[in-house]
Amino acid sequence: MNELLRRMLFLPEQASTFAQDVDHLHYFVIIVTMVSSAAVGLVALGFFWKYRRRSEDQTTPFVAPTAIFEVLAVSVPLAFFLAWFAIGFRDFVKLSSPPPDAMDVYVMGKQWMWKFAYPDGPSSVGVLHVPANRPVRLLITSRDVIHSVFIPAFRVKMDAQPGRYTETWFTATKPGRYQILCTEYCGAQHSKMWGEVVVMAPEAFDEWIKEQQRGLVARADVLADESQVSIQGSLAQWGKQVAVAQGCLRCHNVSGTESATGPSWVDLYQQPTRLADGREIIADEAYLTESMMEPNVKIVAGYQPLMPNYQGKISGPEAAALVEYIKSLRSDRTQQATGGEE
Ligand code: CUA
């Protein structure tokens, strides 16, 4: 039944845990609306025939619907709309809540290609390798204009915006190769801005990533060339270099003591933070990036708005590296992420 409907509606293959949920809602909406509009059309045709004018002096009788008919005419469509909203909202919440154990991949769009980087090293252009049956979170940004990552077989789509991070996640279900498309008109080559997800069996993926890391060690001395934006070594290690080069550590300390100029980076990631305007936010990737690019949007309570704006001064991958570096700064040594101390 599922397969038949999928083919009838020309939907792509279902290759993630979201695909069935999204398609079931799609079938529900399509079937109800198609059946209803067909019924309305047929009844209208029948009435044209049944109530046609039979003579020149025939008058139209006055018909008043009963109260129960009016109540039904409003409540039945309303019930369907509310049901669709409830199901859609449930799916949306699921799509917006990556599980904590998801594997992170940084995605950067630029005219006109996709780049992917794993926190522990490898990066690639155009091809995203992921394991099957494990949740993967995409942290998405753009180096120039707005793009949008769309993986039709997974039924996930998320905008890529310069200067900030957006996120989405999926669990791929079937090894194979699936298209990645850009769905935001981004210039002359927009229609050619595609990539590919390669879903691998989990063991094959582990093998692949080890292979990639071995390759990285071999070319560890090659510097990240901005025109190539190949991200070398551990992102967190690179982030530390960026922090030193950009002078971040003059105001932010990484030793765990508070300083007067800027908030400490130790344990900052995922920490609830009170702002000067009274709001409380969680210091996630989106907040950390925004603080680099538009520092005056959210001022932490107790600090002055002294932070300079780094929009245009640090690139998307450098911002990603800084975020990874901050994420690696945990006071609990057992939680230390990849190479943050190095
Ligand atoms: Cu990138 Cu369209």
Side-chain angles (χ1 to χ4, degrees), residues 28 32 36 68-84:
F28 185 19
V32 170
S36 315
I68 183 73
F69 181 83
E70 296 220 34
V71 168
L72 282 176
V74 172
S75 60
V76 171
L78 183 66
F80 276 110
F81 280 109
L82 290 177
W84 295 331

Side-chain angles (χ1 to χ4, degrees), residues 54-306:
R54 283 153 219 261
S55 68
E56 281 302 315
D57 51 0
Q58 187 184 359
T59 54
T60 308
F62 178 76
V63 182
T66 56
I68 183 73
F69 181 83
E70 296 220 34
V71 168
L72 282 176
V74 172
S75 60
V76 171
L78 183 66
F80 276 110
F81 280 109
L82 290 177
W84 295 331
F85 172 78
I87 298 168
F89 187 70
R90 186 199 63 189
D91 291 351
F92 172 75
V93 168
K94 201 160 122 189
L95 205 66
S96 318
S97 329
D101 62 337
M103 180 185 100
D104 283 350
V105 181
Y106 285 90
V107 180
M108 193 186 61
K110 67 169 242 185
Q111 287 167 323
W112 288 276
M113 62 184 75
W114 295 109
K115 299 188 172 190
F116 306 98
Y118 300 82
D120 47 2
S123 66
S124 59
V125 174
V127 185
L128 168 64
H129 290 82
V130 295
N133 306 320
R134 282 188 207 157
V136 175
R137 176 168 72 149
L138 303 180
L139 290 154
I140 304 160
T141 190
S142 163
R143 208 177 122 191
D144 36 44
V145 298
I146 303 178
H147 302 274
S148 186
V149 184
F150 181 32
I151 310 174
F154 295 173
R155 310 291 191 270
V156 296
K157 174 152 67 175
M158 181 51 73
D159 278 6
Q161 303 190 41
R164 61 186 60 182
Y165 274 89
T166 48
E167 62 173 33
T168 190
W169 72 284
F170 58 80
T171 301
T173 49
K174 285 185 249 177
R177 291 169 170 268
Y178 308 96
Q179 265 187 320
I180 304 174
L181 303 171
C182 177
T183 50
E184 186 68 51
Y185 182 63
C186 56
Q189 303 283 316
H190 157 70
S191 60
K192 293 192 182 141
M193 186 171 163
W194 37 257
E196 194 177 43
V197 197
V198 178
V199 178
M200 307 167 91
E203 310 74 45
F205 177 81
D206 291 340
E207 208 37 56
W208 176 83
I209 202 140
K210 265 193 222 122
E211 191 98 332
Q212 296 294 309
Q213 281 158 349
R214 274 198 291 275
L216 280 174
V217 174
R219 58 192 172 109
D221 290 337
V222 183
L223 277 174
D225 170 6
E226 174 56 21
S227 62
Q228 293 275 314
V229 198
S230 51
I231 297 170
Q232 312 286 344
S234 144
L235 264 184
Q237 280 174 29
W238 185 31
K240 187 173 183 181
Q241 291 165 17
V242 175
V244 171
Q246 294 287 345
C248 308
L249 304 180
R250 282 202 284 270
C251 298
H252 298 280
N253 78 59
V254 291
S255 59
T257 52
E258 282 304 320
S259 87
T261 336
S264 166
W265 282 357
V266 178
D267 293 329
L268 174 59
Y269 179 62
Q270 291 297 14
Q271 192 179 67
T273 305
R274 183 158 300 282
L275 302 180
D277 62 12
R279 279 181 297 165
E280 190 170 282
I281 50 102
I282 298 290
D284 58 7
E285 288 86 354
Y287 163 76
L288 294 175
T289 310
E290 184 186 59
S291 298
M292 297 171 208
M293 305 304 182
E294 294 170 88
N296 291 335
V297 174
K298 297 193 176 87
I299 301 293
V300 178
Y303 291 95
Q304 295 299 310
L306 296 171

